[in-house]
Amino acid sequence: MSSKIKTVLISGVSKGIGANCAKHLLNLGHTVIGIGRNDNNALKEFPNYHFFQCDLLEPEATKNIAKEIASTFQVDMFIHNAMYSPKHKPFLRCQEDDFLKAHTISSIAPTLIIQKIISGMRKNKFGRILFFGTIIQVVGSKGQLPYLTAKSALSGLTKGLCLELATSGVTCNLLLLGPVDTQKLRENLSEDQIKKIKESMPTGNLVEVDHIAKMVEYFLLDESAVINGATIPLGNASHLRNYS
């Protein structure tokens, strides 16, 4: 099975998971549109790559850029990868701004984007919406309440959009990512901390970014339409073990 050439909009492509997914899809010949504050220089080498700078913390700017994208491209898939995660701290030390920023990036910004691009998907009778959540929505975590609650909002957003768009040819799914082996993870955690995370996981392995990109590729297939409104753990069974 192979998918036809599609146009994919991805939030947060400057590095890590978003950048890797973008590169994988570009190599397959798909058109990729990045949206966010920072671009990725390596992706600029691809003629089928486009970038729209936007601070997703600014709702009006987000709506305007999304409208511009919708008027320029027929978006077939939207991947919401952008995130905001303040420093770990007890919830009593969390500030209002921590919650506002986390929720704006996680659920408000993608909703505003989808409102602008959805008409094209419905008209084309094909659309894929993928939210990148986190496995801690299942197992919980200490010191990450703004991030945890913001990501958890994606569960309701996924189900609600699925039901509202069920007959349109547009699907909406949530991928719960376990600990992913990214540069950011290795910069923020010591080797000992990474070792402990691996030991707490049933498979003993971190999630590879390439595996996530391959999953995204599958959702571009027509056959993926049967998966809709689903919450899918991509964490090497880490949802079965509490490593917080």
Side-chain angles (χ1 to χ4, degrees):
M1 293 183 292
S2 61
S3 64
K4 299 176 182 178
I5 298 303
K6 298 291 197 302
T7 297
V8 183
L9 173 61
I10 306 176
S11 67
V13 295
S14 62
K15 55 186 176 180
I17 299 167
N20 189 268
C21 287
K23 184 177 180 180
H24 178 74
L25 295 173
L26 288 165
N27 279 323
L28 291 174
H30 298 294
T31 295
V32 173
I33 307 161
I35 182 174
R37 285 189 299 178
N38 300 310
D39 199 356
N40 183 301
N41 289 329
L43 298 179
K44 293 179 181 179
E45 299 177 3
F46 292 87
N48 46 333
Y49 173 71
H50 310 269
F51 181 74
F52 288 78
Q53 188 172 39
C54 177
D55 186 349
L56 298 179
L57 286 171
E58 300 293 337
E60 286 303 316
T62 301
K63 287 190 287 186
N64 290 336
I65 291 296
K67 183 178 180 180
E68 182 180 351
I69 292 171
S71 66
T72 308
F73 299 92
Q74 167 58 55
V75 177
D76 300 299
M77 172 185 274
F78 171 50
I79 302 170
H80 186 52
N81 165 70
M83 56 168 277
Y84 176 84
S85 180
K87 291 183 179 180
H88 291 203
K89 52 190 169 185
F91 82 95
L92 287 175
R93 291 174 52 198
C94 292
Q95 302 297 313
E96 179 182 349
D97 198 48
D98 294 331
F99 288 94
L100 290 174
K101 287 182 177 180
H103 281 266
T104 297
I105 292 291
S106 287
S107 59
I108 296 175
T111 301
L112 296 176
I113 292 172
I114 293 167
Q115 286 178 332
K116 298 300 181 183
I117 65 174
I118 197 63
S119 61
M121 291 183 175
R122 297 176 74 171
K123 183 178 180 179
N124 201 36
K125 293 182 170 43
F126 181 94
R128 298 291 183 263
I129 298 170
L130 285 180
F131 295 123
F132 284 174
T134 169
I135 212 71
I136 68 172
Q137 293 172 226
V138 177
V139 301
S141 180
K142 298 177 182 177
Q144 301 185 75
L145 205 57
Y147 176 69
L148 173 57
T149 57
K151 285 292 189 180
S152 295
L154 292 174
S155 297
L157 188 55
T158 298
K159 294 180 177 66
L161 285 174
C162 166
L163 293 174
E164 291 204 29
L165 301 170
T167 62
S168 67
V170 179
T171 67
C172 183
N173 293 287
L174 171 62
L175 306 183
L176 301 182
L177 307 185
V180 183
D181 194 355
T182 61
Q183 181 181 351
K184 182 178 181 180
L185 180 137
R186 294 193 174 275
E187 288 175 351
N188 293 340
L189 300 179
S190 66
E191 285 299 322
D192 186 58
Q193 288 174 313
I194 293 175
K195 180 182 178 181
K196 288 180 179 178
I197 291 176
K198 288 182 177 180
E199 290 173 348
S200 72
M201 298 173 68
T203 65
N205 299 310
L206 297 175
V207 178
E208 299 291 335
V209 289
D210 289 342
H211 295 167
I212 298 171
K214 288 291 181 66
M215 284 294 296
V216 168
E217 178 188 346
Y218 171 75
F219 278 97
L220 284 173
L221 297 173
D222 291 338
E223 292 84 352
S224 71
V226 295
I227 305 175
N228 197 5
T231 297
I232 306 171
L234 298 183
N236 289 337
S238 54
H239 64 293
L240 302 178
R241 192 70 60 89
N242 189 335
Y243 56 86
S244 62

